[in-house]
Amino acid sequence: MHQAPKWPSASTVVVGVIGNPIAHSLSPLLHQAAFEALGLDWVSLGFEVGPSALGDAVSGIRGLKIRGVSVTMPHKESVMALLDRISPLAKALGSVNCITNDSGVLEGDTTDGPGFIEALAHGADFDPMGKSCVVLGAGGAARAVAAALGVAGARDVAVVNRSPGPAARAAAIAGPAGRVGRASDALGADLVVQATSVGMAGTESAGRLVIEPELLGPGQLVVDLVYHPVTTALIDAANRRGARTMSGVGMLVHQAALAIERWTGLQAPLGAMWEAAAAAVGAG
Ligand code: NAD
């Protein structure tokens, strides 16, 4: 006897995330939480795509009518040459983390920086306009954050990094507010963002600090982009010094929420996505 199709069916809309490695990615989990909350017949999958397969993978997005994919390491830069359109922000940053397939036309965008700004607003009621900010690190996440703080009207965006070349490039992306800074700039800054990989669970630097806690204190917001563990040594130290703190879970959720909104045209269910992220990383 014929039964009504169950999920997934032949009409289920497919999205996903491409990267290498991919098994650790929380994107499918966050996307799926959103689709379930929205009652959409959609599915999100992780696709392990090595560097030599990137061209085939992008052709597959078109050929299989995949609605969109998130992009993670190592493809955020290299995928740009394969797309039809690049948003101005992604172009300025030289990085794409979200591809939307509009009837075969692939547009690349970046939701990392805008997701960070949304996380500041929702999680800490913090508006960067006119504020002094310090960004620790100069990698992909740091550049996205520095650019977003510049766009959001920060008065000063000091990029602090071990090697000056990458710091200068990240500072330039922040626009007129950007400059290469030093750790002592954190003293009295309105916002301090830890955007290095220091402190990540399972790495040599787990439990380490990237800045002296004495530079942090009341009146400041300290954000650690590392979300595993949720309470890093820096978050712990900043709390003890009387600063307000925010974990990387906020940016993780909001960058994914912006992708969901681009693909579905619907408002992302932040509560459901937050719950899924918090359960996955062990946050309360
Ligand atoms: P990346 O490899 O591009 O950059 C890493 C940065 O860390 C570089 O500037 C490097 O110089 C610096 N660094 C590494 N070890 C250091 C050390 N011992 N001392 C000082 N600086 C050091 O990586 P990325 O993509 O920019 O990611 C950085 C971190 O941000 C990672 O932990 C990642 O998980 C996190 N992240 C979080 C989110 C989120 O949504 N919360 C999004 C992107 C990245």
Side-chain angles (χ1 to χ4, degrees), residues 138-141 161-162 195-198 200 208 225-227 248 251-252:
N161 195 51
R162 289 175 301 184
T196 78
S197 43
V198 171
M200 262 172 70
R208 272 185 38 204
L225 297 192
V226 170
Y227 52 79
M251 176 169 167
L252 179 72

Side-chain angles (χ1 to χ4, degrees), residues 6-237:
K6 293 200 167 97
W7 178 91
S9 74
S11 57
T12 301
V13 178
V14 179
V15 300
V17 54
I18 59 171
N20 188 23
I22 203 63
H24 69 287
S25 174
L26 294 178
S27 292
L29 184 91
L30 294 181
H31 298 161
Q32 209 59 50
F35 300 149
E36 277 165 29
L38 292 168
L40 293 178
D41 178 18
W42 288 44
V43 68
S44 178
L45 303 167
F47 299 105
E48 186 180 283
V49 176
S52 64
L54 185 60
D56 286 346
V58 171
S59 298
I61 296 170
R62 288 194 182 88
L64 299 174
K65 295 192 170 69
I66 290 173
R67 172 63 178 143
V69 293
S70 296
V71 182
T72 186
M73 301 290 284
H75 302 310
K76 287 186 173 191
E77 282 179 46
S78 46
V79 80
M80 295 177 76
L82 303 170
L83 305 179
D84 303 304
R85 288 199 301 246
I86 306 285
S87 74
L89 185 58
K91 201 174 281 178
L93 205 55
S95 173
V96 156
N97 80 332
C98 176
I99 298 172
T100 305
N101 181 357
D102 274 324
S103 307
V105 177
L106 302 188
E107 168 150 17
D109 199 357
T110 178
T111 64
D112 279 334
F116 172 74
I117 300 296
E118 293 274 305
L120 288 181
H122 281 82
D125 195 21
F126 185 96
D127 179 354
M129 177 64 75
K131 302 290 198 324
S132 60
C133 310
V134 171
V135 179
L136 306 170
R143 287 199 300 273
V145 164
L149 289 172
V151 169
R155 168 168 52 84
D156 185 35
V157 181
V159 179
V160 180
N161 195 51
R162 289 175 301 184
S163 34
R169 285 193 286 280
I173 287 173
R179 67 180 171 91
V180 176
R182 51 179 64 186
S184 58
D185 286 317
L187 192 68
D190 297 310
L191 173 69
V192 177
V193 186
Q194 195 307 102
T196 78
S197 43
V198 171
M200 262 172 70
T203 67
E204 265 182 22
S205 64
R208 272 185 38 204
L209 286 170
V210 79
I211 192 169
E212 295 301 323
E214 290 70 32
L215 295 169
L216 310 174
Q220 287 183 316
L221 175 63
V222 177
V223 182
D224 198 333
L225 297 192
V226 170
Y227 52 79
H228 186 53
V230 175
T231 305
T232 58
L234 176 70
I235 292 284
D236 204 28

